[in-house]
Amino acid sequence: MRTSGWVAVATLVALVAGPAAAKDRVGYQAISAGSLAEAEQTIDAERAIFPTRPELMLNLAAVYARTGRVTQARSLYGQVLDQEPVAMDLADGSVQSSHALAQRGLSRLGSTIASR
């Protein structure tokens, strides 16, 4: 099983840590600093090369959720769930599957119900 670099999940701010990288290619540092536009740019550039890496999809979903793009966040979490689960190293030293992180992100989005 492959382990990830960095991941942040929705409004949880559950940051996933991995080996320190010379350049943050998954948006972790920008998300941590609250620079969501910068994080989105970084993640989009990496997804152009690695479109199905779960850590990129989870981070982008977190950015989308924090910027009010719930539909896009939900779609990315669904794409993670459509793949085989991948072990992710969390900042607290624990390990969780990409599926567990995606499910947690989805639960944080809540349900959007229209009413009159």
Side-chain angles (χ1 to χ4, degrees):
M1 212 179 264
R2 174 175 71 112
T3 58
S4 75
W6 305 94
V7 176
V9 177
T11 56
L12 256 186
V13 192
L15 300 174
V16 176
K23 182 174 184 333
D24 176 24
R25 297 183 188 271
V26 294
Y28 167 77
Q29 293 170 348
I31 291 169
S32 295
S35 302
L36 300 179
E38 179 185 339
E40 187 171 349
Q41 269 188 320
T42 299
I43 297 164
D44 283 342
E46 283 299 300
R47 284 199 75 213
I49 301 164
F50 306 107
T52 61
R53 285 184 59 184
E55 60 272 29
L56 296 172
M57 289 189 282
L58 289 166
N59 277 356
L60 189 55
V63 170
Y64 286 165
R66 293 180 189 180
T67 57
R69 294 176 279 174
V70 174
T71 301
Q72 291 101 323
R74 187 170 280 124
S75 175
L76 283 171
Y77 288 132
Q79 288 175 45
V80 171
L81 293 171
D82 287 341
Q83 298 179 359
E84 290 295 318
V86 175
M88 300 278 176
D89 298 325
L90 299 177
D92 67 3
S94 66
V95 176
Q96 290 191 25
S97 80
S98 55
H99 283 195
L101 296 171
Q103 288 290 353
R104 189 177 308 156
L106 281 170
S107 72
R108 297 288 189 248
L109 293 176
S111 60
T112 308
I113 300 173
S115 64
R116 290 181 90 160

